[in-house]
């Protein structure tokens, strides 16, 4: 069990670096995910967004990564979430997992992304083309 990367950062995210961080000679599979800022949400045009994280976000992300890494099929985990202003096409969330076999890697990466999205205290402010905005995942 290795948590290669677990970060909440205002810096751009590098998917290839996360994939390299989970490399393991035993691994027959590395599955990765990049969550990219899209130009629409529920039929509305999005021009930009901003993520704001609670001070505990880094700790929560590490806990999520640790839970996934505890799976005996998982060799290594890397996950990061970006904060601050992002534009269309920017990467907001990256995750990578290595295992011996592809099915386990796909399942572990999906769990990693789903748990991170469900539990991270990070909120998103979307700015729409019509000038309105919306906060998503706010308590």
């Amino acid at each position: 069990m290795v948590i290669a990367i677990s970060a909440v950062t205002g810096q751009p995210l590098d998917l290839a670096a996360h994939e390299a961080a989970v490399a393991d000679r035993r691994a027959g599979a590395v599955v990765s995910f990049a969550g990219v800022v899209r130009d629409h949400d529920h039929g509305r045009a999005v021009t930009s967004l901003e993520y704001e994280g609670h001070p505990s976000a880094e700790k929560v992300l590490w806990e999520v990564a640790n839970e996934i890494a505890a799976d005996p099929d998982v060799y290594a985990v890397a996950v990061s979430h970006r904060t601050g202003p992002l534009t269309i096409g920017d990467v907001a969330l990256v995750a990578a997992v290595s295992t011996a076999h592809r099915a386990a890697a796909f399942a572990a990466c999906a769990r990693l992304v789903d748990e991170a999205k469900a539990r991270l205290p990070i909120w998103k402010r979307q700015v729409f083309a019509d000038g309105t905005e919306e906060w998503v995942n706010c308590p």
Side-chain angles (χ1 to χ4, degrees):
M1 149 175 109
V2 173
I3 300 172
I5 300 172
S6 175
V8 174
T9 179
Q11 299 302 310
L13 302 178
D14 183 347
L15 181 61
H18 284 67
E19 292 168 337
V22 301
D24 187 298
R25 293 175 53 88
R26 301 169 295 162
V30 172
V31 170
S32 60
F33 171 83
V36 180
V37 177
R38 62 184 179 268
D39 69 354
H40 66 279
D41 190 33
H42 299 290
R44 298 176 70 191
V46 173
T47 58
S48 65
L49 58 83
E50 179 179 359
Y51 283 101
E52 186 173 315
H54 186 272
S56 68
E58 184 98 33
K59 180 179 183 280
V60 172
L61 187 59
W62 184 88
E63 290 169 355
V64 168
N66 192 50
E67 289 171 17
I68 301 305
D71 181 328
D73 290 334
V74 173
Y75 296 140
V77 170
V79 60
S80 296
H81 200 297
R82 189 160 167 201
T83 56
L86 285 85
T87 60
I88 306 306
D90 284 345
V91 178
L93 172 68
V94 295
V97 176
S98 62
T99 68
H101 303 286
R102 71 179 176 274
F106 278 114
C109 193
R111 284 193 323 270
L112 177 60
V113 170
D114 290 346
E115 285 298 314
K117 295 298 286 179
R119 293 171 40 193
L120 271 179
I122 292 181
W123 304 280
K124 175 172 66 174
R125 180 177 69 93
Q126 297 187 111
V127 179
F128 297 102
D130 64 6
T132 62
E133 62 180 49
E134 164 186 67
W135 282 92
V136 180
N137 296 333
C138 278

